Amino acid sequence: MTAYTDLMTFQRETEALAQVSGRLEWDQETVMPRGAAPQRAEEIGALEAVLHARRTDPRIGDWLDAAEGAETDEVARANLRRIRHAYTRTQRVPARLAAELARVTSVSQGIWAEARAAEDFAAFAPTLEQIVALTRDKAAALADGGAPYDALLDDYEPGATADSLTAMFGALRPRLVALRDRIMGAERRSPALSGDFPEAAQMALTREMAQAFGYDMTRGRIDKAVHPFSSGGGADVRITTRTSATDPFNCLYSTIHEVGHAAYEQGIDPVHALTPLGQGVSMGVHESQSRIYENQLGRSRAFTSHIFARMTDTFGPLSVDSPEAFYAAVNRVHPGFIRTESDEVQYNLHVLLRFDLERRLIDGSLPVADLPEAWNTRFEADFGVAVDRPSNGCLQDVHWSVGLFGYFPTYTLGNVYAGCLHAALRRDLPDLDTRLAAGDPGPATGWLRDKLQRHGALRPPRATIAHATGEEPSEGPLLDYLEAKFGEIYGV
Amino acid sequence: MTAYTDLMTFQRETEALAQVSGRLEWDQETVMPRGAAPQRAEEIGALEAVLHARRTDPRIGDWLDAAEGAETDEVARANLRRIRHAYTRTQRVPARLAAELARVTSVSQGIWAEARAAEDFAAFAPTLEQIVALTRDKAAALADGGAPYDALLDDYEPGATADSLTAMFGALRPRLVALRDRIMGAERRSPALSGDFPEAAQMALTREMAQAFGYDMTRGRIDKAVHPFSSGGGADVRITTRTSATDPFNCLYSTIHEVGHAAYEQGIDPVHALTPLGQGVSMGVHESQSRIYENQLGRSRAFTSHIFARMTDTFGPLSVDSPEAFYAAVNRVHPGFIRTESDEVQYNLHVLLRFDLERRLIDGSLPVADLPEAWNTRFEADFGVAVDRPSNGCLQDVHWSVGLFGYFPTYTLGNVYAGCLHAALRRDLPDLDTRLAAGDPGPATGWLRDKLQRHGALRPPRATIAHATGEEPSEGPLLDYLEAKFGEIYGV
């Protein structure tokens, strides 16, 4: 046995236990009896304590020291890089700080939810101040002399920096604002789909679409949950969805989105199963898969013509009565305050706002008390509408209430990466629209599996995209795609 | 912090992790995608390794040594007794032997299933020989100079011995054989229910009955599985059931049986949650709860009159058209080879046969090669019928194939305990039949909760029954109950 095989044996058990943790989360959100919640918290706490002890086990350091010089194979080196990275970070956060953050964030989500329901930012502010202060301490500990915000980002997007994202997002924002303004000022309006859509039929159609997009039901399942999510890895990747009787797109596109996440996990070469490479490499790359499935493929003119036909088969005549009107309805750009209800054009503006504000919360230049005003001012500048109440403004997202700072920008990074991947796969698959119109995204999902998904976390995030596309990722393809698509739909 | 509080803190996390293990088993039998099986084996393996390391942690010995003299409280002493007992046993089995048993039994169930399907005992014999040999080694290690079979029993029924069970079962067997013979020779026959019973209606009725028997759905759920089981403890106790379109009793009574198990776990005083007292004290006492719910209550004349009414409401007129005929159909005694399909009269004869044979397998007086003949001879003696094929004989049960020796007798012990409890609760609740006939087993389940369930594992198994009934347990009440009930039904 070498140090590397010892380390990987130990790591494999840790990964298996992490999968168990994922299974508990799935259970909690789908099938757990409600009275089990307090006991479940203890079960998860005990398992997390086991995982923490394994992740900080000093033997990992010894094995790494012995193995890093000895291994030359690309896969071994990538595994060692991922393990070293995680081990170094876990070592840096003092146990007392981690415990205090866990303690505060175990109750803060409830406080946030109450404050949001009461439209009372002041009721949440002291809690958010605590979280921001603890997160700043954590960031400083993780940064070890480097940039604190970058150290937070690194949890979700290893290698990304605030500076590089600021440059990318700085190029996105004016063209998105301008596109949004042109659409809002356009004479042409998109219709909204209306009607009543039985839930069972929606679920049947959503299963059909999930399988069309390559979701392997022998290694996964679809259930309903309050918030759609994808969970687990390897041979057990489950997704959830939700239904709205009046809005079938909610179920359909949240499913296709989650299938994108799940396809990444299911598509990884089994040789990487239960190793550090056997999972998506970053939140941004993960989101690129969910977004390209949902938007560039699922909301394409070609594929929506197939959905139109299948929805007409399923529900009878629709309120939008042609494939072209249906395509416009699917891609309708509408004013709104809520990020999660937003469209492809405005979504990134929501994210950019949060990215800019959370950096200032972390660097201390924006006191928590001033957050609502800063939010509302920025929102009006980018969206042209005044925020009417906190639940439509800075209280709308759960993220900060549970200490997620550095997470928001990965949403837009995912869209940027999706733009790059889409441009490349269109070059490689000139006849894709014919297949999409026939209800078959297979050539595109096969391309993504081959170029990206199967490699798991073998390469760092940007290198993963560059390997797939043959180019360094940039915001250009996403902007070109959005301007072309929505310019045509709205005639602007 | 005292040694006792340190120990209980450690133990609580172990119990929480054991609950997680239970959740994985539930998941595997109900919702897991079939392609996830190999990965799941690794997940369970990793979690079991964590549990094993915790259960053999030498700190437990130190804490026990320090705490055992210091604690005087009844609950503390009971917790220490349970922990000491488990710790001593875990220490005694050499790791290499435990690993070898785990290795063999991880594949032996499949070999047994194939042999059973092929009606080929010889194909299973070498594997069974291995298992018996390893189990004998394990028994010798556990016994530490004592009786090997008793050491195996102790896993399932702490404190029970082969000698005490042999005396009890020796008193049961002749009266059961005689009762069986009288019934088989009776002129009066019980009708069999026939018809077609839609599955959804069966499930609705089974949920209604589960709740009538006190199953708390806010801390549990009912799903379908191949084999009905109860799983988990404390605030998360789930049961499964199955349906047969032609036999609604299968679903109904397996549910009431599992509700008995679940009610025991759900009924334990929450003060014992996630401690060694927060679970059923033994398999025998557990089975006493499932059996008294299923048989003495669920198959009583009074309660079956309610089921008859509800089934008529649900399914329309039945093939048995009076409450009395329905009661006879529910309690029909019929020839058969299979233990799990047996009735109250013959069930224990199946168990006694296995108890006698497995003791001889373990003491070496019965070679594996001679098992089929020994089985068939004994079966014909007790049941008056020749076994026609191995799947109806010694290949019918999974238990031995996974190394469960000492488990079978707890089934009959559970019936004996149920007999004792039933006699005592009938004395305390003279009007019970009026409530049962109205569909309300509440007085009986309330009595069981108060006298037995809420105490969890506070007292050893026999003392648990004696505390509830005020008498030392014996086989007399079960025999009296069976002879009276079936004597009346069959006029014998």
Side-chain angles (χ1 to χ4, degrees):
Chain A
M1 298 282 278
T2 65
Y4 179 70
T5 54
D6 285 344
L7 172 60
M8 291 303 285
T9 300
F10 181 83
Q11 184 71 29
R12 191 172 183 93
E13 284 186 9
T14 307
E15 301 284 347
L17 291 168
Q19 287 293 320
V20 173
S21 178
R23 233 58 80 214
L24 286 185
E25 284 166 33
W26 174 86
D27 185 275
Q28 186 161 340
E29 300 298 327
T30 53
V31 294
M32 187 183 80
R34 61 185 164 79
Q39 179 173 314
R40 174 56 57 87
E42 281 202 60
E43 294 168 13
I44 289 178
L47 188 57
E48 288 304 316
V50 169
L51 282 165
H52 181 76
R54 292 184 71 93
R55 286 167 177 156
T56 54
D57 192 310
R59 287 176 295 172
I60 296 176
D62 299 338
W63 283 319
L64 283 169
D65 291 342
E68 280 168 340
E71 302 296 328
T72 54
D73 169 66
E74 183 191 15
V75 167
R77 295 184 64 83
N79 273 315
L80 290 169
R81 190 173 60 237
R82 296 269 293 178
I83 298 169
R84 170 65 79 182
H85 181 257
Y87 184 65
T88 303
R89 287 178 62 82
T90 316
Q91 299 278 92
R92 283 186 181 162
V93 180
R96 183 174 296 185
L97 175 58
E100 181 64 4
L101 247 174
R103 193 190 62 75
V104 171
T105 54
S106 74
V107 294
S108 53
Q109 188 177 345
I111 297 168
W112 161 77
E114 281 181 31
R116 185 175 69 155
E119 300 291 357
D120 183 2
F121 179 76
F124 178 54
T127 302
L128 184 56
E129 270 162 17
Q130 269 190 300
I131 295 170
V132 167
L134 289 167
T135 303
R136 293 179 64 182
D137 290 348
K138 179 183 155 191
L142 284 172
D144 197 29
Y149 184 82
D150 291 354
L152 296 174
L153 256 182
D154 204 52
D155 255 347
Y156 314 109
E157 200 65 26
T161 64
D163 284 350
S164 66
L165 292 180
T166 302
M168 178 183 278
F169 294 175
L172 276 175
R173 189 175 167 207
R175 281 172 68 181
L176 289 176
V177 169
L179 176 59
R180 186 197 166 281
D181 286 347
R182 288 201 299 280
I183 292 169
M184 290 304 169
E187 304 234 329
R188 202 184 293 168
R189 312 290 340 144
S190 287
L193 181 67
S194 60
D196 193 60
F197 305 89
E199 179 185 287
Q202 286 192 47
M203 287 300 290
L205 190 60
T206 220
R207 280 172 206 282
E208 175 187 318
M209 293 299 163
Q211 290 180 273
F213 274 93
Y215 184 54
D216 179 356
M217 297 286 286
T218 70
R219 297 185 293 144
R221 50 181 291 131
I222 306 178
D223 295 88
K224 297 210 333 177
V226 176
H227 301 289
F229 64 91
S230 166
S231 152
D236 195 346
V237 186
R238 306 179 185 184
I239 64 172
T240 62
T241 189
R242 59 182 167 199
T243 53
S244 153
T246 56
D247 176 13
F249 294 153
N250 195 321
C251 177
L252 193 59
Y253 283 103
S254 72
T255 296
I256 298 175
H257 180 99
E258 298 307 333
V259 164
H261 285 300
Y264 190 6
E265 296 290 331
Q266 287 189 331
I268 297 173
D269 188 331
V271 80
H272 299 314
L274 298 181
T275 77
L277 307 190
Q279 52 196 277
V281 68
S282 71
M283 300 302 300
V285 176
H286 236 299
E287 193 74 2
S288 77
Q289 301 306 289
S290 57
R291 283 300 192 168
I292 197 170
Y293 278 55
E294 176 189 356
N295 290 333
Q296 279 89 350
L297 301 173
R299 289 192 166 95
S300 65
R301 169 178 275 114
F303 195 75
T304 56
S305 72
H306 170 71
I307 298 182
F308 174 74
R310 292 297 297 123
M311 282 187 64
T312 305
D313 295 344
T314 304
F315 302 110
L318 305 178
S319 69
V320 287
D321 58 359
S322 72
E324 198 56 29
F326 186 84
Y327 173 57
V330 165
N331 289 289
R332 186 168 161 263
V333 178
H334 50 287
F337 298 108
I338 303 297
R339 174 182 59 85
T340 57
E341 298 169 2
S342 190
D343 47 75
E344 280 187 84
V345 173
Q346 297 179 94
Y347 188 86
N348 294 304
L349 292 173
H350 286 280
V351 173
L352 269 44
L353 177 161
R354 287 155 180 76
F355 171 65
D356 286 338
L357 295 183
E358 74 175 15
R359 274 183 303 146
R360 294 181 54 207
L361 287 170
I362 295 301
D363 74 19
S365 66
L366 177 63
V368 165
D370 297 343
L371 175 62
E373 196 194 325
W375 181 293
N376 296 350
T377 303
R378 166 69 174 258
F379 191 87
E380 193 159 358
D382 281 4
F383 293 84
V385 194
V387 172
D388 58 349
R389 50 179 190 266
S391 68
N392 276 337
C394 67
L395 284 184
Q396 73 180 264
D397 293 307
V398 70
H399 301 59
W400 293 337
S401 85
V402 289
L404 292 177
F405 289 85
Y407 188 110
F408 277 124
T410 68
Y411 289 130
T412 284
L413 202 53
N415 286 326
V416 166
Y417 289 163
C420 300
L421 293 164
H422 184 238
L425 75 80
R426 284 282 179 181
R427 278 196 300 272
D428 285 359
L429 304 168
D431 294 331
L432 179 60
D433 277 336
T434 315
R435 298 285 288 275
L436 286 174
D440 178 18
T445 55
W447 187 96
L448 288 165
R449 176 162 297 203
D450 179 55
K451 299 280 188 181
L452 188 148
Q453 293 166 359
R454 70 186 171 93
H455 304 297
L458 181 65
R459 301 181 183 86
R462 282 182 63 90
T464 295
I465 303 299
H467 174 87
T469 62
E471 288 172 39
E472 281 299 309
S474 78
E475 69 285 354
L478 175 67
L479 285 166
D480 294 344
Y481 155 79
L482 290 173
E483 287 169 349
K485 173 176 179 177
F486 289 91
E488 190 209 31
I489 292 174
Y490 283 93
V492 294
Chain B
M1 297 284 278
T2 65
Y4 179 70
T5 55
D6 284 345
L7 173 60
M8 290 303 285
T9 300
F10 182 83
Q11 184 71 28
R12 191 174 183 92
E13 284 185 8
T14 307
E15 301 283 346
L17 292 167
Q19 287 294 318
V20 173
S21 177
R23 232 59 80 214
L24 287 185
E25 284 167 34
W26 174 87
D27 185 275
Q28 185 161 340
E29 300 298 327
T30 53
V31 294
M32 188 182 82
R34 61 185 164 78
Q39 179 172 313
R40 174 57 56 89
E42 281 202 61
E43 295 169 12
I44 289 178
L47 188 56
E48 288 304 316
V50 169
L51 281 166
H52 182 76
R54 291 185 71 94
R55 286 168 176 155
T56 53
D57 192 310
R59 288 176 296 172
I60 296 176
D62 300 338
W63 283 319
L64 283 169
D65 291 342
E68 280 168 338
E71 302 295 328
T72 54
D73 169 67
E74 184 192 13
V75 167
R77 294 184 65 84
N79 273 315
L80 289 169
R81 191 172 60 238
R82 296 268 293 179
I83 297 169
R84 170 66 78 183
H85 181 257
Y87 183 65
T88 303
R89 287 178 64 82
T90 316
Q91 298 279 93
R92 282 185 181 161
V93 181
R96 181 174 297 185
L97 176 57
E100 181 65 4
L101 248 174
R103 193 190 62 75
V104 172
T105 54
S106 73
V107 294
S108 54
Q109 189 177 343
I111 297 168
W112 160 78
E114 281 181 31
R116 186 176 69 154
E119 301 291 357
D120 183 1
F121 178 77
F124 178 54
T127 303
L128 184 57
E129 270 163 16
Q130 269 190 300
I131 295 169
V132 168
L134 290 167
T135 304
R136 292 178 64 181
D137 290 348
K138 178 182 155 193
L142 284 171
D144 197 28
Y149 185 81
D150 291 354
L152 296 174
L153 256 181
D154 205 52
D155 256 347
Y156 314 108
E157 200 65 25
T161 64
D163 284 349
S164 66
L165 292 180
T166 302
M168 179 184 277
F169 293 175
L172 277 174
R173 187 176 169 206
R175 283 172 66 182
L176 289 176
V177 169
L179 176 59
R180 186 198 166 282
D181 285 348
R182 289 200 299 280
I183 292 169
M184 292 302 171
E187 304 236 327
R188 203 183 292 169
R189 311 292 338 146
S190 287
L193 181 68
S194 60
D196 194 59
F197 305 89
E199 179 185 285
Q202 285 192 47
M203 287 300 289
L205 191 60
T206 220
R207 280 171 206 281
E208 175 187 318
M209 292 298 163
Q211 290 181 273
F213 274 92
Y215 184 54
D216 179 356
M217 297 285 286
T218 69
R219 297 184 293 144
R221 51 181 290 130
I222 306 177
D223 295 88
K224 297 211 332 179
V226 176
H227 301 289
F229 64 90
S230 166
S231 152
D236 196 346
V237 186
R238 307 179 185 184
I239 64 172
T240 62
T241 190
R242 60 183 166 198
T243 54
S244 153
T246 56
D247 176 11
F249 295 154
N250 196 320
C251 177
L252 194 59
Y253 283 102
S254 72
T255 296
I256 298 175
H257 179 99
E258 299 307 333
V259 164
H261 285 301
Y264 190 6
E265 296 290 331
Q266 288 189 330
I268 297 173
D269 188 330
V271 80
H272 299 314
L274 299 181
T275 77
L277 308 190
Q279 52 195 276
V281 67
S282 72
M283 300 303 300
V285 176
H286 236 301
E287 192 75 2
S288 77
Q289 301 305 290
S290 58
R291 282 301 192 166
I292 196 170
Y293 278 54
E294 176 189 358
N295 290 333
Q296 280 88 350
L297 302 173
R299 288 190 166 96
S300 65
R301 168 177 277 117
F303 195 75
T304 56
S305 73
H306 170 71
I307 298 182
F308 174 74
R310 293 295 299 122
M311 283 188 62
T312 305
D313 295 344
T314 305
F315 302 111
L318 304 177
S319 69
V320 287
D321 58 359
S322 73
E324 199 56 30
F326 186 84
Y327 173 57
V330 165
N331 289 289
R332 187 167 160 261
V333 178
H334 50 286
F337 298 108
I338 303 297
R339 174 183 58 84
T340 57
E341 297 169 2
S342 189
D343 47 75
E344 278 186 85
V345 173
Q346 298 178 96
Y347 187 87
N348 295 304
L349 291 173
H350 286 279
V351 173
L352 270 42
L353 177 161
R354 287 153 179 79
F355 171 66
D356 286 337
L357 296 182
E358 74 176 14
R359 274 183 305 147
R360 294 181 54 207
L361 287 170
I362 297 301
D363 74 19
S365 65
L366 177 62
V368 164
D370 297 344
L371 176 62
E373 195 194 327
W375 181 292
N376 297 350
T377 303
R378 166 70 174 256
F379 191 87
E380 193 157 0
D382 280 4
F383 294 83
V385 193
V387 172
D388 58 348
R389 52 180 190 267
S391 67
N392 277 337
C394 67
L395 284 184
Q396 73 181 263
D397 294 305
V398 70
H399 301 59
W400 294 337
S401 84
V402 289
L404 291 177
F405 289 85
Y407 188 109
F408 277 123
T410 68
Y411 289 131
T412 284
L413 202 52
N415 287 326
V416 166
Y417 289 162
C420 300
L421 293 165
H422 183 238
L425 76 79
R426 285 282 178 181
R427 278 196 301 272
D428 285 357
L429 304 169
D431 293 331
L432 179 60
D433 277 337
T434 316
R435 298 284 289 275
L436 286 174
D440 177 19
T445 55
W447 188 95
L448 288 164
R449 178 162 295 203
D450 180 56
K451 300 281 188 181
L452 188 149
Q453 292 166 359
R454 69 186 171 93
H455 303 298
L458 181 64
R459 301 181 183 85
R462 281 182 64 89
T464 295
I465 303 299
H467 174 85
T469 63
E471 286 173 41
E472 282 299 309
S474 78
E475 69 286 355
L478 175 66
L479 285 166
D480 294 345
Y481 154 81
L482 290 173
E483 287 168 350
K485 174 176 178 175
F486 289 91
E488 191 209 30
I489 292 174
Y490 282 91
V492 294

